[in-house]
């Protein structure tokens, strides 16, 4: 997705935690008892850590696969950026965890990588959210999303918002009302829900956009830097 109009959904910590609880229940009900969680960096880290807690696991490993280069922008085919530690999964039953599966490439690449390089025991997969576009079929799914949207997770709220703000700013200054209007019209970010989910954070977002060299102040508002 490269367009500058697409649906975004803002989530909250509570909502995400509930999805973690659902996934943990499914794993427990299935009778699967993984020895180690491999969390895909970076989106799988929070769910991976919480699932360790809920499932009673000490071992949490990280695997970084890259192919997204910004909010809803895909880059190259995924590649392994940082592999799992060589002995972390050998002979062990593994649960690979990610936040969302969209194309499904990260999840299937992760499983292939672990199975081909690390001689694990059983390997199963869990995601908090699943999009029908996915070619991967995770073993455990917190929720199926019925339409495509870019999910703004609490752990990358600032990162995503700065990216979106960068897309709405241009050569004409926009004040805060203008920025909010553009975010609503182009990314379906409802202002009311925004204030419920992330109260009073727009100033901080704009400050960060400035600090990160995305926005600059001028003409009574903000311009693209
Ligand atoms: P995938 O396309 O399944 O390989 O997705 C790889 C990673 O990109 C996911 O783990 C997310 O961190 C991120 N991602 C992909 N699609 C979305 C989306 N619709 N909303 C939020 N994050 C996404």
């Amino acid at each position: 997705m490269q367009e500058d109009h697409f649906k975004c959904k803002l989530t909250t910590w509570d909502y995400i935690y509930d999805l973690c609880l659902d996934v943990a229940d499914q794993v427990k009900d299935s009778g699967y008892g993984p020895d180690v969680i491999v969390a895909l960096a970076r989106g799988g880290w929070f769910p991976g850590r919480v699932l360790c807690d809920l499932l009673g696991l000490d071992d949490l490993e990280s695997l970084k696969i890259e192919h997204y280069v910004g909010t809803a922008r895909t880059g190259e085919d995924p590649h392994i950026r940082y592999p799992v530690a060589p002995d972390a999964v050998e002979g062990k039953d593994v649960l690979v965890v990610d936040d969302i599966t969209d194309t499904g490439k990260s999840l299937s690449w992760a499983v292939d990588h672990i199975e081909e390089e690390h001689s694990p025991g059983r390997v199963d997969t869990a995601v908090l959210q699943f999009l029908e576009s996915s070619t991967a079929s995770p073993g455990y799914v917190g929720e199926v999303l019925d339409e495509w949207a870019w999910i703004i997770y609490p752990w990358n709220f600032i990162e995503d918002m700065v990216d979106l703000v960068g897309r709405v700013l241009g050569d004409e200054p926009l004040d805060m009302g203008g920025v909010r209007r553009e975010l609503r019209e182009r990314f379906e970010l409802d202002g009311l829900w925004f204030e419920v989910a992330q109260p009073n954070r727009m100033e901080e977002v704009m400050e960060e956009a400035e600090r990160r060299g995305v926005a600059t102040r001028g003409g009574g508002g903000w311009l693209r830097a």
Side-chain angles (χ1 to χ4, degrees), residues 43 67-68 98-106 131 148-151 153:
H67 74 106
Y68 280 81
D98 207 358
D99 48 2
I100 186 167
T101 179
D102 187 338
T103 62
K105 287 181 183 177
S106 304
L131 283 161
W148 192 93
W150 183 263
I151 310 299
Y153 292 105

mmCIF file of all heavy atoms in Angstrom, residues 43 67-68 98-106 131 148-151 153, ligand 1:
data_model
loop_
_atom_site.group_PDB
_atom_site.id
_atom_site.type_symbol
_atom_site.label_atom_id
_atom_site.label_comp_id
_atom_site.label_asym_id
_atom_site.label_seq_id
_atom_site.Cartn_x
_atom_site.Cartn_y
_atom_site.Cartn_z
ATOM 1 N N GLY A 43 6.866 -5.832 16.087
ATOM 2 C CA GLY A 43 5.446 -5.902 16.432
ATOM 3 C C GLY A 43 5.076 -7.042 17.369
ATOM 4 O O GLY A 43 4.097 -6.962 18.107
ATOM 5 N N HIS A 67 10.333 -6.074 5.883
ATOM 6 C CA HIS A 67 9.916 -5.719 4.538
ATOM 7 C C HIS A 67 8.992 -4.522 4.504
ATOM 8 O O HIS A 67 8.634 -4.051 3.428
ATOM 9 C CB HIS A 67 9.346 -6.900 3.745
ATOM 10 C CG HIS A 67 7.964 -7.348 4.137
ATOM 11 N ND1 HIS A 67 6.866 -7.085 3.359
ATOM 12 C CD2 HIS A 67 7.522 -8.052 5.183
ATOM 13 C CE1 HIS A 67 5.800 -7.629 3.929
ATOM 14 N NE2 HIS A 67 6.166 -8.216 5.038
ATOM 15 N N TYR A 68 8.659 -3.978 5.690
ATOM 16 C CA TYR A 68 7.875 -2.740 5.703
ATOM 17 C C TYR A 68 8.814 -1.572 5.930
ATOM 18 O O TYR A 68 9.705 -1.638 6.752
ATOM 19 C CB TYR A 68 6.808 -2.779 6.798
ATOM 20 C CG TYR A 68 5.613 -3.569 6.356
ATOM 21 C CD1 TYR A 68 5.621 -4.951 6.422
ATOM 22 C CD2 TYR A 68 4.504 -2.936 5.821
ATOM 23 C CE1 TYR A 68 4.541 -5.690 5.977
ATOM 24 C CE2 TYR A 68 3.416 -3.668 5.381
ATOM 25 C CZ TYR A 68 3.443 -5.041 5.462
ATOM 26 O OH TYR A 68 2.377 -5.762 5.021
ATOM 27 N N ASP A 98 3.386 -12.831 16.433
ATOM 28 C CA ASP A 98 3.445 -11.510 15.795
ATOM 29 C C ASP A 98 2.173 -10.747 16.129
ATOM 30 O O ASP A 98 1.179 -11.343 16.583
ATOM 31 C CB ASP A 98 3.620 -11.655 14.277
ATOM 32 C CG ASP A 98 4.321 -10.435 13.675
ATOM 33 O OD1 ASP A 98 4.630 -9.483 14.413
ATOM 34 O OD2 ASP A 98 4.555 -10.444 12.456
ATOM 35 N N ASP A 99 2.195 -9.426 15.883
ATOM 36 C CA ASP A 99 1.000 -8.624 16.160
ATOM 37 C C ASP A 99 -0.101 -8.907 15.145
ATOM 38 O O ASP A 99 -1.238 -9.193 15.499
ATOM 39 C CB ASP A 99 1.345 -7.122 16.212
ATOM 40 C CG ASP A 99 2.196 -6.637 15.038
ATOM 41 O OD1 ASP A 99 2.513 -7.433 14.147
ATOM 42 O OD2 ASP A 99 2.546 -5.440 15.032
ATOM 43 N N ILE A 100 0.252 -8.825 13.854
ATOM 44 C CA ILE A 100 -0.772 -8.971 12.815
ATOM 45 C C ILE A 100 -0.156 -9.702 11.639
ATOM 46 O O ILE A 100 1.045 -9.592 11.405
ATOM 47 C CB ILE A 100 -1.289 -7.580 12.369
ATOM 48 C CG1 ILE A 100 -2.455 -7.685 11.388
ATOM 49 C CG2 ILE A 100 -0.188 -6.704 11.811
ATOM 50 C CD1 ILE A 100 -3.193 -6.361 11.159
ATOM 51 N N THR A 101 -0.952 -10.487 10.952
ATOM 52 C CA THR A 101 -0.466 -11.040 9.701
ATOM 53 C C THR A 101 -1.270 -10.414 8.568
ATOM 54 O O THR A 101 -2.490 -10.421 8.577
ATOM 55 C CB THR A 101 -0.440 -12.586 9.700
ATOM 56 O OG1 THR A 101 0.009 -13.026 8.451
ATOM 57 C CG2 THR A 101 -1.771 -13.200 9.993
ATOM 58 N N ASP A 102 -0.547 -9.813 7.621
ATOM 59 C CA ASP A 102 -1.176 -9.052 6.536
ATOM 60 C C ASP A 102 -0.916 -9.786 5.227
ATOM 61 O O ASP A 102 -1.784 -10.512 4.724
ATOM 62 C CB ASP A 102 -0.575 -7.635 6.539
ATOM 63 C CG ASP A 102 -1.271 -6.696 5.571
ATOM 64 O OD1 ASP A 102 -1.905 -7.174 4.629
ATOM 65 O OD2 ASP A 102 -1.166 -5.472 5.747
ATOM 66 N N THR A 103 0.299 -9.652 4.679
ATOM 67 C CA THR A 103 0.624 -10.510 3.534
ATOM 68 C C THR A 103 0.862 -11.943 4.036
ATOM 69 O O THR A 103 0.665 -12.898 3.294
ATOM 70 C CB THR A 103 1.922 -10.046 2.832
ATOM 71 O OG1 THR A 103 2.992 -10.153 3.762
ATOM 72 C CG2 THR A 103 1.801 -8.617 2.351
ATOM 73 N N GLY A 104 1.295 -12.071 5.266
ATOM 74 C CA GLY A 104 1.630 -13.378 5.816
ATOM 75 C C GLY A 104 3.076 -13.755 5.561
ATOM 76 O O GLY A 104 3.553 -14.791 6.028
ATOM 77 N N LYS A 105 3.793 -12.873 4.842
ATOM 78 C CA LYS A 105 5.178 -13.217 4.476
ATOM 79 C C LYS A 105 6.088 -13.332 5.696
ATOM 80 O O LYS A 105 6.886 -14.251 5.787
ATOM 81 C CB LYS A 105 5.750 -12.150 3.533
ATOM 82 C CG LYS A 105 5.183 -12.213 2.139
ATOM 83 C CD LYS A 105 5.841 -11.129 1.293
ATOM 84 C CE LYS A 105 5.242 -11.092 -0.110
ATOM 85 N NZ LYS A 105 5.825 -9.996 -0.912
ATOM 86 N N SER A 106 5.951 -12.383 6.624
ATOM 87 C CA SER A 106 6.866 -12.411 7.781
ATOM 88 C C SER A 106 6.711 -13.706 8.553
ATOM 89 O O SER A 106 7.694 -14.340 8.927
ATOM 90 C CB SER A 106 6.580 -11.244 8.737
ATOM 91 O OG SER A 106 6.653 -10.042 8.059
ATOM 92 N N LEU A 131 -5.561 -10.615 8.910
ATOM 93 C CA LEU A 131 -6.243 -10.030 7.740
ATOM 94 C C LEU A 131 -6.400 -11.118 6.682
ATOM 95 O O LEU A 131 -5.482 -11.924 6.474
ATOM 96 C CB LEU A 131 -5.407 -8.878 7.185
ATOM 97 C CG LEU A 131 -5.477 -7.573 7.984
ATOM 98 C CD1 LEU A 131 -4.295 -6.661 7.644
ATOM 99 C CD2 LEU A 131 -6.798 -6.848 7.727
ATOM 100 N N TRP A 148 -9.511 -4.556 5.378
ATOM 101 C CA TRP A 148 -8.119 -4.138 5.550
ATOM 102 C C TRP A 148 -8.050 -2.761 6.213
ATOM 103 O O TRP A 148 -8.808 -1.850 5.870
ATOM 104 C CB TRP A 148 -7.390 -4.083 4.201
ATOM 105 C CG TRP A 148 -5.908 -3.936 4.397
ATOM 106 C CD1 TRP A 148 -4.990 -4.938 4.463
ATOM 107 C CD2 TRP A 148 -5.193 -2.711 4.601
ATOM 108 N NE1 TRP A 148 -3.739 -4.418 4.705
ATOM 109 C CE2 TRP A 148 -3.835 -3.050 4.788
ATOM 110 C CE3 TRP A 148 -5.553 -1.359 4.656
ATOM 111 C CZ2 TRP A 148 -2.848 -2.098 5.015
ATOM 112 C CZ3 TRP A 148 -4.569 -0.411 4.890
ATOM 113 C CH2 TRP A 148 -3.232 -0.785 5.060
ATOM 114 N N ALA A 149 -7.179 -2.614 7.148
ATOM 115 C CA ALA A 149 -6.894 -1.308 7.749
ATOM 116 C C ALA A 149 -5.457 -1.362 8.245
ATOM 117 O O ALA A 149 -4.933 -2.454 8.503
ATOM 118 C CB ALA A 149 -7.832 -1.032 8.924
ATOM 119 N N TRP A 150 -4.843 -0.188 8.340
ATOM 120 C CA TRP A 150 -3.533 -0.141 8.997
ATOM 121 C C TRP A 150 -3.814 0.026 10.480
ATOM 122 O O TRP A 150 -4.484 0.979 10.891
ATOM 123 C CB TRP A 150 -2.668 1.007 8.483
ATOM 124 C CG TRP A 150 -1.308 0.969 9.137
ATOM 125 C CD1 TRP A 150 -0.901 1.689 10.209
ATOM 126 C CD2 TRP A 150 -0.212 0.124 8.762
ATOM 127 N NE1 TRP A 150 0.396 1.350 10.538
ATOM 128 C CE2 TRP A 150 0.845 0.384 9.665
ATOM 129 C CE3 TRP A 150 -0.003 -0.841 7.764
ATOM 130 C CZ2 TRP A 150 2.076 -0.258 9.605
ATOM 131 C CZ3 TRP A 150 1.230 -1.485 7.700
ATOM 132 C CH2 TRP A 150 2.252 -1.183 8.603
ATOM 133 N N ILE A 151 -3.339 -0.923 11.284
ATOM 134 C CA ILE A 151 -3.614 -0.878 12.720
ATOM 135 C C ILE A 151 -2.508 -0.073 13.407
ATOM 136 O O ILE A 151 -1.324 -0.401 13.271
ATOM 137 C CB ILE A 151 -3.661 -2.304 13.320
ATOM 138 C CG1 ILE A 151 -4.580 -3.222 12.486
ATOM 139 C CG2 ILE A 151 -4.100 -2.249 14.775
ATOM 140 C CD1 ILE A 151 -6.023 -2.786 12.404
ATOM 141 N N TYR A 153 -0.841 0.434 16.599
ATOM 142 C CA TYR A 153 -0.712 -0.207 17.913
ATOM 143 C C TYR A 153 -0.160 0.798 18.927
ATOM 144 O O TYR A 153 0.585 1.708 18.551
ATOM 145 C CB TYR A 153 0.224 -1.424 17.799
ATOM 146 C CG TYR A 153 -0.381 -2.528 16.970
ATOM 147 C CD1 TYR A 153 0.062 -2.772 15.677
ATOM 148 C CD2 TYR A 153 -1.424 -3.301 17.473
ATOM 149 C CE1 TYR A 153 -0.512 -3.763 14.906
ATOM 150 C CE2 TYR A 153 -2.004 -4.291 16.709
ATOM 151 C CZ TYR A 153 -1.547 -4.528 15.427
ATOM 152 O OH TYR A 153 -2.124 -5.503 14.670
HETATM 153 P P1 LIG B 1 3.173 -9.217 6.896
HETATM 154 O O1 LIG B 1 2.660 -8.470 5.702
HETATM 155 O O2 LIG B 1 2.153 -10.231 7.326
HETATM 156 O O3 LIG B 1 4.501 -9.835 6.609
HETATM 157 O O4 LIG B 1 3.337 -8.146 8.048
HETATM 158 C C1 LIG B 1 4.569 -7.843 8.642
HETATM 159 C C2 LIG B 1 4.489 -6.859 9.774
HETATM 160 O O5 LIG B 1 4.162 -5.565 9.285
HETATM 161 C C3 LIG B 1 3.437 -7.147 10.822
HETATM 162 O O6 LIG B 1 3.967 -7.956 11.809
HETATM 163 C C4 LIG B 1 3.146 -5.761 11.368
HETATM 164 O O7 LIG B 1 4.076 -5.393 12.356
HETATM 165 C C5 LIG B 1 3.294 -4.886 10.160
HETATM 166 N N1 LIG B 1 1.988 -4.746 9.470
HETATM 167 C C6 LIG B 1 1.625 -5.310 8.313
HETATM 168 N N2 LIG B 1 0.377 -4.980 7.962
HETATM 169 C C7 LIG B 1 -0.084 -4.194 8.953
HETATM 170 C C8 LIG B 1 -1.332 -3.545 9.196
HETATM 171 N N3 LIG B 1 -2.354 -3.660 8.353
HETATM 172 N N4 LIG B 1 -1.445 -2.805 10.315
HETATM 173 C C9 LIG B 1 -0.409 -2.674 11.177
HETATM 174 N N5 LIG B 1 0.777 -3.280 11.011
HETATM 175 C C10 LIG B 1 0.955 -4.032 9.916
#
